Short mmCIF file of all heavy atoms in Angstrom, two decimals:
data_model
loop_
_atom_site.label_atom_id
_atom_site.label_comp_id
_atom_site.label_asym_id
_atom_site.label_seq_id
_atom_site.Cartn_x
_atom_site.Cartn_y
_atom_site.Cartn_z
N LEU A 369 5.55 29.12 -32.31
CA LEU A 369 4.15 28.94 -32.70
C LEU A 369 3.43 30.30 -32.72
O LEU A 369 3.57 31.08 -31.78
CB LEU A 369 3.48 28.00 -31.67
CG LEU A 369 2.15 27.37 -32.04
CD1 LEU A 369 2.28 26.44 -33.24
CD2 LEU A 369 1.61 26.58 -30.85
N GLN A 370 2.72 30.57 -33.79
CA GLN A 370 1.95 31.82 -33.86
C GLN A 370 0.55 31.51 -34.36
O GLN A 370 0.31 30.47 -34.93
CB GLN A 370 2.57 32.78 -34.89
CG GLN A 370 3.96 33.26 -34.58
CD GLN A 370 4.52 34.05 -35.77
OE1 GLN A 370 4.05 35.13 -36.10
NE2 GLN A 370 5.53 33.48 -36.41
N GLU A 371 -0.34 32.50 -34.18
CA GLU A 371 -1.68 32.35 -34.72
C GLU A 371 -1.93 33.46 -35.74
O GLU A 371 -1.60 34.61 -35.52
CB GLU A 371 -2.71 32.45 -33.59
CG GLU A 371 -4.08 31.96 -34.03
CD GLU A 371 -5.05 31.91 -32.87
OE1 GLU A 371 -5.53 32.99 -32.46
OE2 GLU A 371 -5.33 30.81 -32.38
N VAL A 372 -2.46 33.03 -36.90
CA VAL A 372 -2.80 34.01 -37.93
C VAL A 372 -4.32 34.03 -38.06
O VAL A 372 -4.95 32.98 -38.17
CB VAL A 372 -2.19 33.60 -39.30
CG1 VAL A 372 -2.55 34.63 -40.37
CG2 VAL A 372 -0.69 33.43 -39.19
N GLU A 373 -4.87 35.24 -38.02
CA GLU A 373 -6.31 35.37 -38.25
C GLU A 373 -6.52 35.78 -39.71
O GLU A 373 -5.96 36.77 -40.17
CB GLU A 373 -6.90 36.42 -37.31
CG GLU A 373 -8.41 36.52 -37.42
CD GLU A 373 -8.97 37.68 -36.59
OE1 GLU A 373 -8.92 37.60 -35.35
OE2 GLU A 373 -9.44 38.65 -37.20
N ALA A 374 -7.31 34.98 -40.43
CA ALA A 374 -7.50 35.24 -41.86
C ALA A 374 -8.98 35.23 -42.22
O ALA A 374 -9.74 34.40 -41.73
CB ALA A 374 -6.76 34.20 -42.68
N LYS A 375 -9.34 36.19 -43.10
CA LYS A 375 -10.72 36.18 -43.61
C LYS A 375 -10.91 35.00 -44.55
O LYS A 375 -11.99 34.42 -44.64
CB LYS A 375 -11.01 37.48 -44.36
CG LYS A 375 -11.03 38.71 -43.48
CD LYS A 375 -11.22 39.96 -44.33
CE LYS A 375 -11.01 41.21 -43.49
NZ LYS A 375 -10.80 42.41 -44.30
N LEU A 376 -9.84 34.72 -45.29
CA LEU A 376 -9.90 33.65 -46.30
C LEU A 376 -8.63 32.82 -46.24
O LEU A 376 -7.53 33.37 -46.12
CB LEU A 376 -10.05 34.29 -47.69
CG LEU A 376 -10.14 33.34 -48.87
CD1 LEU A 376 -11.51 32.68 -48.92
CD2 LEU A 376 -9.87 34.08 -50.18
N VAL A 377 -8.78 31.50 -46.32
CA VAL A 377 -7.61 30.62 -46.41
C VAL A 377 -7.64 29.92 -47.77
O VAL A 377 -8.66 29.32 -48.13
CB VAL A 377 -7.61 29.56 -45.28
CG1 VAL A 377 -6.42 28.62 -45.43
CG2 VAL A 377 -7.58 30.24 -43.91
N ILE A 378 -6.55 30.05 -48.50
CA ILE A 378 -6.44 29.31 -49.77
C ILE A 378 -5.50 28.13 -49.55
O ILE A 378 -4.34 28.30 -49.17
CB ILE A 378 -5.94 30.22 -50.92
CG1 ILE A 378 -6.98 31.31 -51.20
CG2 ILE A 378 -5.67 29.39 -52.18
CD1 ILE A 378 -6.63 32.24 -52.35
N GLY A 379 -6.05 26.94 -49.73
CA GLY A 379 -5.25 25.72 -49.57
C GLY A 379 -4.57 25.39 -50.88
O GLY A 379 -5.19 24.91 -51.81
N ALA A 380 -3.27 25.70 -50.95
CA ALA A 380 -2.47 25.34 -52.11
C ALA A 380 -1.43 24.35 -51.63
O ALA A 380 -0.27 24.40 -52.02
CB ALA A 380 -1.82 26.59 -52.70
N ASP A 381 -1.87 23.46 -50.76
CA ASP A 381 -0.93 22.61 -50.03
C ASP A 381 -0.81 21.21 -50.62
O ASP A 381 -0.49 20.25 -49.92
CB ASP A 381 -1.26 22.56 -48.52
CG ASP A 381 -2.73 22.36 -48.20
OD1 ASP A 381 -3.58 22.50 -49.11
OD2 ASP A 381 -3.05 22.04 -47.04
N GLY A 382 -1.04 21.11 -51.92
CA GLY A 382 -0.66 19.90 -52.64
C GLY A 382 -1.49 18.67 -52.35
O GLY A 382 -2.55 18.75 -51.71
N VAL A 383 -1.02 17.53 -52.83
CA VAL A 383 -1.78 16.29 -52.65
C VAL A 383 -2.01 15.98 -51.18
O VAL A 383 -2.97 15.31 -50.82
CB VAL A 383 -1.10 15.05 -53.31
CG1 VAL A 383 -1.09 15.16 -54.81
CG2 VAL A 383 0.29 14.83 -52.77
N GLU A 384 -1.10 16.46 -50.33
CA GLU A 384 -1.24 16.15 -48.90
C GLU A 384 -2.08 17.20 -48.17
O GLU A 384 -1.99 17.34 -46.96
CB GLU A 384 0.13 16.01 -48.24
CG GLU A 384 0.91 17.30 -48.04
CD GLU A 384 1.93 17.56 -49.13
OE1 GLU A 384 1.59 17.40 -50.31
OE2 GLU A 384 3.07 17.95 -48.79
N SER A 385 -2.90 17.94 -48.93
CA SER A 385 -3.66 19.06 -48.37
C SER A 385 -4.28 18.75 -47.01
O SER A 385 -5.04 17.81 -46.85
CB SER A 385 -4.77 19.48 -49.33
OG SER A 385 -5.50 20.56 -48.74
N LYS A 386 -3.92 19.58 -46.06
CA LYS A 386 -4.55 19.50 -44.73
C LYS A 386 -5.64 20.55 -44.62
O LYS A 386 -6.60 20.37 -43.87
CB LYS A 386 -3.49 19.73 -43.64
CG LYS A 386 -2.44 18.63 -43.55
CD LYS A 386 -2.93 17.45 -42.74
CE LYS A 386 -1.93 16.31 -42.80
NZ LYS A 386 -2.30 15.16 -41.95
N VAL A 387 -5.47 21.64 -45.37
CA VAL A 387 -6.46 22.73 -45.28
C VAL A 387 -7.86 22.20 -45.60
O VAL A 387 -8.81 22.46 -44.87
CB VAL A 387 -6.07 23.89 -46.24
CG1 VAL A 387 -7.21 24.89 -46.36
CG2 VAL A 387 -4.81 24.58 -45.74
N GLY A 388 -7.95 21.40 -46.68
CA GLY A 388 -9.24 20.84 -47.06
C GLY A 388 -9.82 19.98 -45.96
O GLY A 388 -11.00 20.09 -45.60
N ARG A 389 -9.00 19.11 -45.39
CA ARG A 389 -9.48 18.22 -44.33
C ARG A 389 -9.89 19.01 -43.10
O ARG A 389 -10.91 18.72 -42.47
CB ARG A 389 -8.39 17.21 -43.96
CG ARG A 389 -8.01 16.29 -45.11
CD ARG A 389 -7.31 15.05 -44.57
NE ARG A 389 -6.62 14.30 -45.61
CZ ARG A 389 -6.50 12.97 -45.59
NH1 ARG A 389 -7.02 12.26 -44.62
NH2 ARG A 389 -5.83 12.35 -46.54
N TRP A 390 -9.08 20.04 -42.74
CA TRP A 390 -9.43 20.85 -41.57
C TRP A 390 -10.75 21.58 -41.77
O TRP A 390 -11.48 21.86 -40.82
CB TRP A 390 -8.31 21.87 -41.29
CG TRP A 390 -7.04 21.25 -40.80
CD1 TRP A 390 -6.91 20.08 -40.10
CD2 TRP A 390 -5.71 21.75 -40.99
NE1 TRP A 390 -5.58 19.83 -39.84
CE2 TRP A 390 -4.83 20.85 -40.36
CE3 TRP A 390 -5.17 22.88 -41.60
CZ2 TRP A 390 -3.44 21.02 -40.34
CZ3 TRP A 390 -3.80 23.06 -41.58
CH2 TRP A 390 -2.94 22.15 -40.96
N ALA A 391 -11.04 21.92 -43.03
CA ALA A 391 -12.29 22.65 -43.31
C ALA A 391 -13.46 21.70 -43.51
O ALA A 391 -14.56 22.13 -43.85
CB ALA A 391 -12.09 23.52 -44.55
N GLY A 392 -13.21 20.40 -43.33
CA GLY A 392 -14.30 19.43 -43.42
C GLY A 392 -14.59 18.94 -44.83
O GLY A 392 -15.63 18.31 -45.06
N LEU A 393 -13.70 19.23 -45.77
CA LEU A 393 -13.90 18.74 -47.14
C LEU A 393 -13.29 17.35 -47.29
O LEU A 393 -12.25 17.06 -46.71
CB LEU A 393 -13.24 19.70 -48.14
CG LEU A 393 -13.77 21.14 -48.13
CD1 LEU A 393 -12.92 22.02 -49.04
CD2 LEU A 393 -15.22 21.16 -48.56
N ASN A 394 -13.95 16.54 -48.08
CA ASN A 394 -13.43 15.19 -48.27
C ASN A 394 -12.38 15.18 -49.38
O ASN A 394 -12.67 14.92 -50.54
CB ASN A 394 -14.57 14.23 -48.60
CG ASN A 394 -14.07 12.82 -48.81
OD1 ASN A 394 -12.94 12.48 -48.40
ND2 ASN A 394 -14.86 11.99 -49.46
N THR A 395 -11.16 15.48 -49.02
CA THR A 395 -10.10 15.57 -50.04
C THR A 395 -9.26 14.30 -50.14
O THR A 395 -8.22 14.29 -50.78
CB THR A 395 -9.15 16.74 -49.73
OG1 THR A 395 -8.58 16.52 -48.44
CG2 THR A 395 -9.87 18.06 -49.74
N VAL A 396 -9.73 13.23 -49.49
CA VAL A 396 -8.94 11.99 -49.52
C VAL A 396 -8.91 11.42 -50.94
O VAL A 396 -9.95 11.25 -51.57
CB VAL A 396 -9.54 10.94 -48.56
CG1 VAL A 396 -8.70 9.67 -48.57
CG2 VAL A 396 -9.66 11.50 -47.16
N ASN A 397 -7.71 11.15 -51.43
CA ASN A 397 -7.58 10.53 -52.75
C ASN A 397 -7.89 9.05 -52.66
O ASN A 397 -7.65 8.41 -51.63
CB ASN A 397 -6.16 10.72 -53.27
CG ASN A 397 -5.89 12.14 -53.71
OD1 ASN A 397 -6.25 12.53 -54.81
ND2 ASN A 397 -5.28 12.94 -52.84
N LYS A 398 -8.43 8.51 -53.77
CA LYS A 398 -8.70 7.07 -53.81
C LYS A 398 -7.55 6.40 -54.57
O LYS A 398 -7.08 6.92 -55.58
CB LYS A 398 -10.01 6.80 -54.54
CG LYS A 398 -11.23 7.28 -53.79
CD LYS A 398 -12.49 6.75 -54.49
CE LYS A 398 -13.71 7.53 -54.06
NZ LYS A 398 -13.75 8.88 -54.67
N ILE A 399 -7.19 5.22 -54.13
CA ILE A 399 -6.02 4.54 -54.72
C ILE A 399 -6.28 4.17 -56.19
O ILE A 399 -5.35 4.01 -56.96
CB ILE A 399 -5.60 3.32 -53.86
CG1 ILE A 399 -4.15 2.93 -54.21
CG2 ILE A 399 -6.56 2.15 -54.01
CD1 ILE A 399 -3.43 2.15 -53.16
N THR A 400 -7.55 4.10 -56.57
CA THR A 400 -7.87 3.79 -57.97
C THR A 400 -7.68 5.00 -58.89
O THR A 400 -7.67 4.85 -60.12
CB THR A 400 -9.34 3.34 -58.09
OG1 THR A 400 -10.15 4.29 -57.37
CG2 THR A 400 -9.56 1.96 -57.52
N ASP A 401 -7.58 6.18 -58.32
CA ASP A 401 -7.43 7.42 -59.11
C ASP A 401 -6.19 8.20 -58.68
O ASP A 401 -6.20 9.43 -58.63
CB ASP A 401 -8.65 8.33 -58.91
CG ASP A 401 -9.93 7.69 -59.41
OD1 ASP A 401 -9.91 7.14 -60.51
OD2 ASP A 401 -10.94 7.72 -58.67
N TYR A 402 -5.14 7.50 -58.35
CA TYR A 402 -3.99 8.16 -57.73
C TYR A 402 -2.74 7.39 -58.15
O TYR A 402 -2.47 6.31 -57.63
CB TYR A 402 -4.21 8.10 -56.22
CG TYR A 402 -3.36 8.98 -55.36
CD1 TYR A 402 -3.48 10.37 -55.39
CD2 TYR A 402 -2.47 8.43 -54.44
CE1 TYR A 402 -2.73 11.16 -54.53
CE2 TYR A 402 -1.73 9.21 -53.57
CZ TYR A 402 -1.86 10.59 -53.63
OH TYR A 402 -1.15 11.38 -52.76
N HIS A 403 -2.05 7.96 -59.12
CA HIS A 403 -0.87 7.24 -59.62
C HIS A 403 0.28 7.30 -58.62
O HIS A 403 0.52 8.31 -57.98
CB HIS A 403 -0.41 7.83 -60.96
CG HIS A 403 -1.15 7.27 -62.13
ND1 HIS A 403 -2.24 7.89 -62.67
CD2 HIS A 403 -0.95 6.14 -62.84
CE1 HIS A 403 -2.69 7.16 -63.68
NE2 HIS A 403 -1.94 6.10 -63.80
N SER A 404 0.95 6.17 -58.52
CA SER A 404 2.15 6.09 -57.71
C SER A 404 3.32 6.46 -58.62
O SER A 404 3.62 5.74 -59.57
CB SER A 404 2.28 4.65 -57.19
OG SER A 404 3.42 4.51 -56.38
N GLY A 405 3.93 7.61 -58.35
CA GLY A 405 4.92 8.15 -59.27
C GLY A 405 6.34 8.09 -58.72
O GLY A 405 6.56 8.26 -57.51
N ILE A 406 7.28 7.83 -59.60
CA ILE A 406 8.69 7.76 -59.22
C ILE A 406 9.52 8.30 -60.38
O ILE A 406 9.13 8.14 -61.53
CB ILE A 406 9.09 6.30 -58.87
CG1 ILE A 406 10.53 6.21 -58.37
CG2 ILE A 406 8.93 5.38 -60.07
CD1 ILE A 406 10.68 6.54 -56.91
N GLN A 407 10.62 8.94 -60.07
CA GLN A 407 11.41 9.57 -61.13
C GLN A 407 12.86 9.74 -60.70
O GLN A 407 13.13 10.08 -59.56
CB GLN A 407 10.80 10.93 -61.44
CG GLN A 407 11.54 11.79 -62.43
CD GLN A 407 10.79 13.08 -62.72
OE1 GLN A 407 9.95 13.13 -63.61
NE2 GLN A 407 11.07 14.12 -61.95
#
Side-chain angles (χ1 to χ4, degrees):
Chain A
L369 196 64
Q370 297 172 67
E371 194 174 75
V372 180
E373 184 186 291
K375 293 176 190 164
L376 180 74
V377 177
I378 295 182
D381 46 346
V383 293
E384 72 262 45
S385 179
K386 293 278 173 176
V387 169
R389 297 199 195 213
W390 290 332
L393 299 173
N394 179 18
T395 58
V396 182
N397 286 279
K398 292 190 198 74
I399 199 158
T400 48
D401 297 314
Y402 194 67
H403 275 95
S404 181
I406 184 82
Q407 175 176 272

